[in-house]
Amino acid sequence: MGKYATHIVWDWNGTLFHDIDAVIGATNSAFAEIGLEPITLELYRELYCVPVPRFYERLMGRLPTEAEWLVMDETFHRHYAEHRLACGLAEGVDLLLEAWQTAGGSQSILSMFGHEELIPLVRGFGIESRFVLVEGRTGPSGGTKAAQMVRHLAALTEVDPGRTVVIGDAVDDAVAAREAGASAVLYTGGSHSRASLETAAVPGVPVVDTLAEAVELAGAMVA
C-alpha cells in the first residue's frame, strides 16, 4: 500500500477530550495536599508547561521535592479519574473526525494520558474506528512528548512525517512535531491561553481557537 496523502496526529487531553475543568479540579486537590492555594483557570493557562514539575516550580518558586512530586502526582491522577467522568468530547469532534476520514485522510491519537486508561475511554466515545493507531503514555507521568512522537510516527509505516500535522493544545505538541519532522497547529481550548501559546510556541506554528480551524489549516499546510 502507498502512503496516506495527509495524516493528523491528535492530542487527547484538552484537545479531542474537553477536560480542562477536570484538570483544574484535580490540580487544586493536589495543591491542597501540600498547602498551596487553589489556582484559577486563567492562571493555569498562563503558567502551565511540561515537564509538569516545572509548572509547579512556577507556582511554588522552587521545584517540588521528590516526595512532594509523588504526593501531588498521585493525588492529581486520583482526583482526575473522578472529575473526568463529567467531561466529554470537544464540540464538533465526531463530525470533524468523520469528515477527515471520509475525505481520505488518516489520523491517530498520541497522548501523555496512561495508555491502559486511554483505550477504553476512546472506545467508549465510539470513535476508535476513526484512527489507525491510538497510543497513550506507558512510562512515568509528567514528561514531554517528543521521543514518543518520533516512535509513534515511525510505527505508522504508511504515514509520511512530512505530510503529517500534529493538533494539540500545548507547546509540547509543537516541539514534539518538530522533533518528528511534522508540522503542528495549536488549539486554545485546552491547557494554554492564546497569549501563552503565541509567546512560547515554536516559530511558524499557527494558533487557532477551534478544532474546525485546526483541521482546515492541517489540510492546507500539507496540500
Side-chain angles (χ1 to χ4, degrees):
M1 295 179 64
K3 290 185 180 293
Y4 291 113
T6 307
H7 184 79
I8 292 176
V9 179
W10 291 96
D11 174 55
W12 179 251
N13 301 94
T15 305
L16 291 178
F17 188 47
H18 186 64
D19 64 345
I20 190 63
D21 291 336
V23 168
I24 296 299
T27 297
N28 283 332
S29 295
F31 286 177
E33 291 282 334
I34 63 167
L36 289 178
E37 293 296 316
I39 188 172
T40 64
L41 172 61
E42 292 73 23
L43 185 58
Y44 181 95
R45 282 178 159 160
E46 288 303 317
L47 297 181
Y48 179 75
C49 64
V50 294
V52 176
R54 294 291 182 185
F55 167 54
Y56 291 146
E57 181 183 25
R58 291 182 173 186
L59 293 166
M60 300 168 66
R62 61 173 176 81
L63 280 170
T65 65
E66 183 177 352
E68 287 172 333
W69 164 248
L70 291 174
V71 169
M72 295 167 77
D73 189 50
E74 186 280 328
T75 305
F76 173 87
H77 285 95
R78 175 160 43 86
H79 285 277
Y80 177 81
E82 300 170 3
H83 287 292
R84 81 173 193 217
L85 298 177
C87 301
L89 296 176
E91 183 178 358
V93 159
D94 304 71
L95 293 178
L96 285 174
L97 297 177
E98 179 183 11
W100 185 262
Q101 184 181 44
T102 300
S106 63
Q107 50 200 339
S108 59
I109 293 175
L110 180 62
S111 174
M112 298 305 285
F113 190 49
H115 184 77
E116 297 303 320
E117 296 174 280
L118 176 65
I119 297 300
L121 190 53
V122 172
R123 189 171 295 151
F125 283 115
I127 58 174
E128 186 180 20
S129 64
R130 302 295 181 195
F131 307 102
V132 296
L133 181 62
V134 177
E135 284 191 320
R137 172 183 49 78
T138 56
S141 62
T144 60
K145 188 181 278 188
Q148 192 172 346
M149 182 68 72
V150 172
R151 292 193 298 269
H152 182 79
L153 289 181
L156 296 171
T157 57
E158 296 177 4
V159 168
D160 178 0
R163 297 190 60 82
T164 296
V165 179
V166 175
I167 298 178
D169 68 317
V171 173
D172 189 48
D173 292 301
V175 173
R178 180 187 60 190
E179 291 298 310
S183 302
V185 178
L186 296 179
Y187 163 62
T188 63
S191 61
H192 286 283
S193 67
R194 172 175 280 277
S196 63
L197 285 176
E198 290 178 337
T199 300
V202 176
V205 173
V207 177
V208 300
D209 296 319
T210 70
L211 293 181
E213 291 177 86
V215 171
E216 183 178 359
L217 264 179
M221 290 167 72
V222 293

